[in-house]
Amino acid sequence: MKNISKALIFRLGSLGDTAAVLPCFYLIARAFPDAERRVLTNVHTNTKASTIESVLGDSALVHGVMKYPPNGMRSPSSLWELRSLIRAFHPDVLVYMLEQRYTRGAVLRDVAFFKACGIPRIVGAPLNRDLYEHRWLPAEQRYENQVERLARCLAPLGD
């Protein structure tokens, strides 16, 4: 993807969730090497939980973090504040990197919100059933794990 100067990565979770998807963060950094990359993540209610910054640290995988409160996405004023924060950053692309949502409707709601924030391109949102659901891997007699599913969703960025 050319002409990307700012990328916003939507990723919720803490230490284990973030460590598991480090290969995806490396992929994003390779796909957008010259872009300012920020992560939009949640604030944890448990003060002992490790944050996304503690995992990514000074890795240069991201250049900053935007946070919203855990219940902030339900409050209209918090949504408006978050929308203003995102619009001020003015990202060229959103990389949607969430665990499987409760419903596909939640994914559609997220995409609609980010479009309303003025983000012209969204990569990784599992809008079709194949990307939303975990694939059965017959040779291994198991379903793919969350990281494998996320990597499929981010395939437009590369291997």
Side-chain angles (χ1 to χ4, degrees), residues 4-133:
I4 302 295
S5 63
K6 294 182 180 180
L8 184 61
I9 304 161
F10 185 34
R11 178 71 188 160
L12 306 180
S14 57
L15 178 69
D17 300 322
T18 304
V21 297
L22 279 174
C24 295
F25 277 101
Y26 279 99
L27 172 63
I28 295 164
R30 272 196 331 265
F32 308 116
D34 300 323
E36 179 181 353
R37 298 175 302 278
R38 292 189 192 173
V39 177
L40 174 62
T41 191
N42 54 325
V43 174
H44 298 288
T45 53
N46 180 352
T47 56
K48 294 182 180 182
S50 296
T51 63
I52 202 165
E53 299 101 301
S54 67
V55 178
L56 299 176
D58 296 325
S59 66
L61 294 173
V62 297
H63 304 104
V65 174
M66 292 179 171
K67 294 184 179 181
Y68 66 85
N71 294 323
M73 295 300 273
R74 294 187 184 108
S75 157
S77 63
S78 294
L79 279 173
W80 187 259
E81 190 175 314
L82 179 60
R83 180 182 176 271
S84 298
L85 184 67
I86 292 170
R87 288 180 73 86
F89 178 54
H90 196 66
D92 303 300
V93 65
L94 176 96
V95 180
Y96 191 95
M97 203 166 62
L98 289 191
E99 304 287 327
Q100 191 175 24
R101 300 291 268 167
Y102 300 110
T103 67
R104 286 190 357 210
V107 175
L108 292 172
R109 181 200 61 218
D110 292 344
V111 167
F113 172 75
F114 289 117
K115 287 289 187 180
C117 292
I119 302 174
R121 182 151 191 201
I122 297 176
V123 176
L127 296 174
N128 65 50
R129 187 179 190 140
D130 183 54
L131 292 176
Y132 181 77
E133 294 179 349

